[in-house]
Amino acid sequence: MRQPAEIDEVEHDQSLQRASAAVRQVWNITPRVAVVLGSGLGGVADRIDVEAVLDFDELPGLATTTAPGHCGRLVCGRWAGVPVAAFQGRLHLYEGHQLSDAAAPARLAHALGAETLVVLSAAGGLHPRLRPGDVMLIEDHIDLMFAGPMAGRREETPRRRAWRRSPYDGKLGEIVATAARREGFDLARGVYVGVLGPNYETRAEYRMLRRIGGDAVGMSTVPEVVVAAEAGMRVLGLCAITNSGLPDAPQKTSAHDVLTVAEATEQRLGVLVRALVESLSGVNGHG
Ligand code: HPA
């Protein structure tokens, strides 16, 4: 007899097949890169030469987003000549979605044939040197969303052991770090802590998250990254630091401030993602 978790997986696979068929009907191209755009960052997709747009409710398996700053569309087209699929809007656990819903964009990206997933998000800064408006390259994460079980209890293989050590691709990180230096802006690096939300943290929680090794905290990213890494995709994670989570210099954080500050980082995030996309097209000699 099939176990409930397996049934979930089978149902998920079927909706995924239907979602990828729906995309193929309007855009029969394999994306090289998929981008998941977080709170206030949907405008990064404006740089894409759009060839097709699908609403999430046309895509079986992708629930409708309700969070402010998330419009719920898949934008397909070319960026620097490279086929790209961008998910504008994310599904959060705090909206009542399951982990598998939050990870659905990564599954669909993989089903469409994308080899690389770029995950952009808004986050609170825990490291004392991070300021609102900074951009941070995610080098590693702490999974307080408990997304790990989505990767399944499959047998350990060398690939699985490797991504569990670090799901973020160091080479992609270096490409964007080089681009930031070339453009003359600072790119911080650090550890992202994924939490459930929906509330921003108490001072005691920010202190704890810093002590356990976090540099930034947010309510997304980890589910998509776990699923993409498990599927063998290369992952780049970047976050916009939208507010400071310093327990001894407390500041009130509102969803509105988070969106406004995130929007102010869009231009730099756009430069970084473009550099990555260009590296895949062979411009700049990265091959
Ligand atoms: N905490 C959690 N998630 C967030 C924050 C924060 O301070 N800022 C933006 N997303």
Side-chain angles (χ1 to χ4, degrees):
M1 205 171 90
R2 278 198 283 145
Q3 300 300 306
E6 273 182 77
I7 294 170
D8 265 11
E9 208 164 294
V10 171
E11 279 172 3
H12 232 87
D13 277 357
Q14 284 167 352
S15 40
L16 198 67
Q17 294 315 320
R18 281 187 286 132
S20 87
V23 177
R24 293 265 170 264
Q25 270 195 353
V26 292
W27 195 62
N28 198 10
I29 289 174
T30 302
R32 298 286 308 276
V33 183
V35 190
V36 181
L37 301 161
S39 301
L41 299 173
V44 172
D46 296 345
R47 291 156 181 82
I48 297 174
D49 296 322
V50 179
E51 294 171 352
V53 179
L54 293 105
D55 283 334
F56 281 3
D57 48 19
E58 297 173 72
L59 297 169
L62 264 85
T64 308
T65 59
T66 57
H70 290 262
C71 64
R73 300 189 310 171
L74 175 62
V75 177
C76 307
R78 292 183 194 257
W79 195 347
V82 176
V84 172
F87 293 86
Q88 253 180 341
R90 262 218 171 82
L91 308 164
H92 296 90
L93 303 186
Y94 64 73
E95 296 167 85
H97 296 300
Q98 305 292 319
L99 272 170
S100 53
D101 296 327
R107 283 192 215 276
L108 179 54
H110 181 249
L112 291 172
E115 296 145 9
T116 301
L117 185 73
V118 177
V119 186
L120 307 182
S121 61
L126 300 167
H127 190 290
R129 285 220 293 272
L130 285 175
R131 296 277 172 270
D134 285 350
V135 173
M136 187 183 96
L137 170 67
I138 304 179
E139 290 190 314
D140 205 346
H141 69 218
I142 298 174
D143 176 11
L144 294 188
M145 303 172 88
F146 307 103
M150 269 194 308
R153 239 183 11 165
R154 300 186 180 101
E155 152 207 357
E156 280 286 305
T157 59
R159 179 172 68 73
R160 204 162 273 136
R161 266 196 293 278
W163 86 251
R164 286 194 169 128
R165 259 196 312 276
S166 177
Y168 300 89
D169 188 298
K171 290 204 179 91
L172 300 184
E174 290 319 313
I175 291 170
V176 297
T178 305
R181 272 196 299 278
R182 192 178 57 229
E183 297 290 324
F185 63 82
D186 287 331
L187 178 65
R189 293 168 183 246
V191 173
Y192 176 96
V193 192
V195 295
L196 292 169
N199 52 294
Y200 299 119
E201 289 65 29
T202 64
R203 287 170 67 185
E205 286 164 343
Y206 281 128
R207 185 174 291 114
M208 172 196 75
L209 297 172
R210 176 73 190 135
R211 285 202 183 147
I212 64 169
D215 296 300
V217 53
M219 303 173 201
S220 63
T221 301
V222 177
E224 297 97 306
V225 169
V226 165
V227 161
E230 173 62 24
M233 297 176 80
R234 300 175 76 190
V235 176
L236 175 77
L238 292 166
C239 53
I241 304 300
T242 52
N243 57 288
S244 159
L246 299 180
D248 300 316
Q251 290 167 352
K252 274 223 168 72
T253 304
S254 72
H256 177 263
D257 295 345
V258 164
L259 294 182
T260 314
V261 180
E263 279 161 21
T265 67
E266 253 179 28
Q267 196 266 339
R268 278 169 288 150
L269 286 168
V271 165
L272 298 181
V273 181
R274 185 184 167 98
L276 169 73
V277 170
E278 280 179 347
S279 76
L280 299 175
S281 74
V283 182
N284 292 337
H286 291 292

